Structures are given as C-alpha cells and as structure tokens.
Amino acid sequence: PPKKPLSTSGRKIGFIVLFVAIGLFAFMIIRPYFADAEYQNGLKLEKTFLWDDAIKKYGLADRICRGNSIYAYAEGNVYYKRFNLTKNIGTQKHWAKLAIDSYNKAIENCPFVGDYHLRLGSIYDGSGDKENAKLYYLKSIDLDPNNAFYRRIYGNFCLKYGEDKEAIEQYKKSLEVYPNDFHNIIKECYIISKYDKKAFMDIAEEICLSDAGFHESLGRFYKINGWN
C-alpha cells in the first residue's frame, strides 16, 4: 500500500530537528573562532592589568572550545603573576594552587610543550617544593634538549640549592646553543650567589673554560663591579 504522507506536525518536527542539527554543526565549525576572540580579549585585558577580567575571558574561551591547552596556560600565567607579586604566605598558596591546577590542565591537554612544564616547575620552585620543581624542569629539558633558556633556568635552580657542578654543566650547555646569553647567566649567578664575590668568581671562571671568548665578557663584568 502507498505510504501515507507525513502530517503537518510531523513535517514541523522534522524541520526543527534538521534546523537544530545544522545549527549544532555550524557551531562546531565556528566555535574555535569565538573561543579565540575571547582569548584575544583576555590578552588585551591582561596587558592592562585587569587580571580578574582576563581570567574570565580565558575561562570562557576554554568552555567554548574545551581541550585547547593555550587557554589553560594563559589562565595559569595570570595566577603565576599574582603569586609573584604577593608577599602574604596564605595568599601565595592560594595563587600557587590555582596556577598549578591550570598548568596541569594545559599539560593534560597537550603534554609535549616544554613551556608548560617549565612554568609548572617555576611555580613549584617559588613555593619551595624542590622535588616537584626539579621534576618539571627536567621534563621541559627532556622535551626540548636544545632549549638554552630551559637549561639556564634549571642551572639557576641547581645553583640556588648548592648543586654548583650541575649548575655549571647546565650553563655550559645553554651557552653552546646561545652564547650571547653569557652576560645574563653570570649576572644571575652573582645574584643567586647572594653577591658572594669569591663563590661567584669560582663559578664564572669555570663556565669560561668552555669558551675563551667568554673571558672578555667576564672581564667587563669585573670592571663594572670594580674588581680589577
């Protein structure tokens, strides 16, 4: 027998279902653009120190397009800035926890970005958690062994905890990749050595053994500090 034509109500339901399906499909296609727009707004707000508003924008971007590690990382960076700017221990712990959660979320979404691990190591370092700091610093280096900045930061970490030999090794490897960073490295060494001239000079001279050209730069640093 011939099929009965759909009733008017049946056709309406069919059109509604089709319309909703098309709308969802269109949203799936364009939602990354909406998310990126919110992310860009967050960056602008962050630059003007409107950090609460920036966090809201990053969070909105993440809700629109879940799984994008950049949004969680950006949110973590705002918490990290607040952590560094406060001296109150209780408040520091609050911002540290939020930053750690955000960085872990970024790593969960994209585990192969060295910057995420480096920043997580930094927040642990600033919180006095040496074990986790070292773990994530080394992870960042494992992901990008030729990144001079990662090795420089880890060298600073080692020097701070009295691991001079490992610090020097990391500085040397950093300078192999980016020799122009020598001045920044020795300046940071001096600060981390708590301006102890002898301790600093021992480390600086050891670093210079990797390249005779560094001695000239070190000589200028000595001259600036009146150590001739």
Side-chain angles (χ1 to χ4, degrees), residues 44 62 85 90 110 116 122 124 128 152 180 214 217 222:
K44 292 176 183 176
D62 183 60
L85 287 174
C110 187
Y116 299 169
S122 295
Y124 277 125
R152 171 181 151 194
N180 291 340
F214 293 147
S217 295
Y222 286 172

Short mmCIF file of all heavy atoms in Angstrom, two decimals, residues 44 62 85 90 110 116 122 124 128 152 180 214 217 222:
data_model
loop_
_atom_site.label_atom_id
_atom_site.label_comp_id
_atom_site.label_asym_id
_atom_site.label_seq_id
_atom_site.Cartn_x
_atom_site.Cartn_y
_atom_site.Cartn_z
N LYS A 44 44.41 41.22 25.91
CA LYS A 44 44.37 42.69 25.99
C LYS A 44 44.11 43.14 27.43
O LYS A 44 44.74 44.09 27.91
CB LYS A 44 43.27 43.22 25.07
CG LYS A 44 43.56 43.03 23.58
CD LYS A 44 42.39 43.48 22.73
CE LYS A 44 42.66 43.22 21.26
NZ LYS A 44 41.48 43.57 20.42
N ASP A 62 37.90 28.62 27.20
CA ASP A 62 38.07 27.20 27.47
C ASP A 62 36.72 26.48 27.47
O ASP A 62 36.62 25.34 27.00
CB ASP A 62 38.77 27.02 28.82
CG ASP A 62 39.04 25.56 29.13
OD1 ASP A 62 39.77 24.93 28.34
OD2 ASP A 62 38.54 25.07 30.15
N LEU A 85 53.68 38.50 42.92
CA LEU A 85 53.52 39.88 43.37
C LEU A 85 53.04 40.01 44.82
O LEU A 85 52.98 41.11 45.34
CB LEU A 85 52.55 40.63 42.44
CG LEU A 85 53.10 40.98 41.06
CD1 LEU A 85 52.01 41.58 40.19
CD2 LEU A 85 54.27 41.95 41.17
N GLY A 90 49.78 33.01 52.93
CA GLY A 90 48.49 32.40 52.67
C GLY A 90 47.97 32.72 51.29
O GLY A 90 47.46 31.84 50.58
N CYS A 110 47.87 18.94 26.38
CA CYS A 110 48.98 18.89 25.43
C CYS A 110 50.28 18.67 26.20
O CYS A 110 50.92 19.64 26.61
CB CYS A 110 49.04 20.19 24.61
SG CYS A 110 50.24 20.15 23.28
N TYR A 116 55.06 24.59 29.23
CA TYR A 116 54.08 24.27 30.26
C TYR A 116 54.77 23.62 31.47
O TYR A 116 54.49 23.95 32.62
CB TYR A 116 53.01 23.31 29.73
CG TYR A 116 52.19 23.84 28.58
CD1 TYR A 116 51.34 23.00 27.86
CD2 TYR A 116 52.26 25.18 28.18
CE1 TYR A 116 50.57 23.48 26.81
CE2 TYR A 116 51.50 25.66 27.13
CZ TYR A 116 50.66 24.80 26.44
OH TYR A 116 49.90 25.27 25.39
N SER A 122 58.54 26.23 37.75
CA SER A 122 58.81 27.55 38.36
C SER A 122 57.89 27.84 39.53
O SER A 122 58.32 28.39 40.55
CB SER A 122 58.66 28.65 37.30
OG SER A 122 59.64 28.53 36.30
N TYR A 124 56.39 25.61 41.40
CA TYR A 124 56.81 24.73 42.49
C TYR A 124 58.10 25.25 43.14
O TYR A 124 58.26 25.21 44.36
CB TYR A 124 57.03 23.31 41.98
CG TYR A 124 55.77 22.48 41.87
CD1 TYR A 124 55.40 21.87 40.67
CD2 TYR A 124 54.94 22.29 42.98
CE1 TYR A 124 54.25 21.10 40.58
CE2 TYR A 124 53.79 21.53 42.90
CZ TYR A 124 53.44 20.93 41.69
OH TYR A 124 52.30 20.17 41.61
N GLY A 128 58.81 26.55 47.10
CA GLY A 128 59.72 25.81 47.95
C GLY A 128 59.62 24.30 47.81
O GLY A 128 60.19 23.56 48.61
N ARG A 152 69.24 27.21 31.22
CA ARG A 152 69.66 28.35 32.06
C ARG A 152 68.82 28.41 33.33
O ARG A 152 69.35 28.60 34.44
CB ARG A 152 69.51 29.63 31.25
CG ARG A 152 69.69 30.92 32.04
CD ARG A 152 69.50 32.09 31.11
NE ARG A 152 68.99 33.26 31.78
CZ ARG A 152 68.49 34.32 31.15
NH1 ARG A 152 68.44 34.34 29.83
NH2 ARG A 152 68.03 35.35 31.82
N ASN A 180 75.33 34.18 23.23
CA ASN A 180 75.06 35.59 23.53
C ASN A 180 74.41 35.79 24.90
O ASN A 180 74.24 36.92 25.34
CB ASN A 180 74.18 36.21 22.45
CG ASN A 180 74.89 36.36 21.13
OD1 ASN A 180 76.12 36.37 21.08
ND2 ASN A 180 74.15 36.47 20.04
N PHE A 214 84.57 34.00 26.31
CA PHE A 214 83.77 34.46 27.44
C PHE A 214 84.59 35.26 28.44
O PHE A 214 84.04 36.05 29.21
CB PHE A 214 83.10 33.28 28.15
CG PHE A 214 82.06 32.57 27.33
CD1 PHE A 214 81.86 31.21 27.47
CD2 PHE A 214 81.29 33.27 26.41
CE1 PHE A 214 80.90 30.55 26.71
CE2 PHE A 214 80.33 32.63 25.65
CZ PHE A 214 80.14 31.26 25.80
N SER A 217 84.08 39.00 28.15
CA SER A 217 82.81 39.46 28.74
C SER A 217 82.87 39.44 30.25
O SER A 217 82.36 40.34 30.92
CB SER A 217 81.67 38.55 28.27
OG SER A 217 81.48 38.67 26.88
N TYR A 222 83.64 42.22 35.65
CA TYR A 222 84.50 42.54 36.78
C TYR A 222 84.75 44.05 36.87
O TYR A 222 84.74 44.64 37.95
CB TYR A 222 85.84 41.82 36.66
CG TYR A 222 85.80 40.33 36.93
CD1 TYR A 222 86.92 39.53 36.69
CD2 TYR A 222 84.66 39.72 37.44
CE1 TYR A 222 86.90 38.16 36.95
CE2 TYR A 222 84.63 38.37 37.70
CZ TYR A 222 85.74 37.59 37.45
OH TYR A 222 85.72 36.24 37.70
#
